[in-house]
Amino acid sequence: MFPGFEKLIESRIKKAQEEGAFENLPGSGQPLHFEDDLTIPEDLRMAYKVLKNADCLPPEVQLLKEIRTTEDLLAGMTDTVQKYRTIKKINFLIMKLNTLRDANAAYEIPQRYYSEVVERLGADKA
């Protein structure tokens, strides 16, 4: 630091204290709440914090939200053609989510209604 700079800072802080600038601040007397970021790699913590403060979501989380929203829309639909299109959209979003992840295929999210389609195909053959 520059010589004398610390002295200037200390004098301004002291003056602000005397004027009561630090009285009745929000959260005064409350314990500090630190975020648990131990699971985030150290080199990514700052970037994640900046993104969180800017209300930006990682692509995986955004896709999961979009899947849930589309599933909620599907629950209220009565038109069969529209339901089919919505299911195709959900399956596409799930496929997109699965390709974003660098995980084993065993951990992928199964596409919606996959088992029902397989059952129907098996019933048609019988």
Side-chain angles (χ1 to χ4, degrees), residues 1-110:
M1 278 203 188
F2 299 108
F5 193 62
E6 288 180 26
K7 199 173 194 178
L8 177 67
I9 293 171
E10 288 294 326
S11 67
R12 289 191 180 180
I13 290 173
K14 195 171 204 171
K15 182 181 176 187
Q17 281 178 329
E18 290 169 359
E19 292 174 355
F22 301 122
E23 308 270 328
N24 301 322
L25 292 174
S28 177
Q30 304 278 326
L32 295 175
H33 297 285
F34 296 104
E35 294 180 20
D36 183 24
D37 59 358
L38 296 176
T39 58
I40 300 171
E42 209 171 309
D43 56 331
L44 295 176
R45 287 181 190 162
M46 184 59 72
Y48 279 19
K49 185 153 181 80
V50 168
L51 289 172
K52 182 178 178 186
N53 289 342
D55 288 330
C56 293
L57 295 174
E60 295 90 2
V61 176
Q62 196 148 2
L63 277 170
L64 283 170
K65 283 179 79 172
E66 192 173 349
I67 290 169
R68 286 193 187 104
T69 303
T70 310
E71 285 176 338
D72 290 344
L73 288 172
L74 181 67
M77 287 184 185
T78 55
D79 182 26
T80 308
V81 174
Q82 190 65 28
K83 273 187 173 185
Y84 177 73
R85 287 184 183 145
T86 306
I87 292 170
K88 282 178 66 175
K89 179 180 178 181
I90 292 172
N91 286 336
F92 172 75
L93 292 171
I94 291 171
M95 181 188 67
K96 192 173 177 182
L97 177 65
N98 287 336
T99 57
L100 280 176
R101 295 178 172 177
D102 284 333
N104 189 331
Y107 298 115
E108 288 185 354
I109 300 172

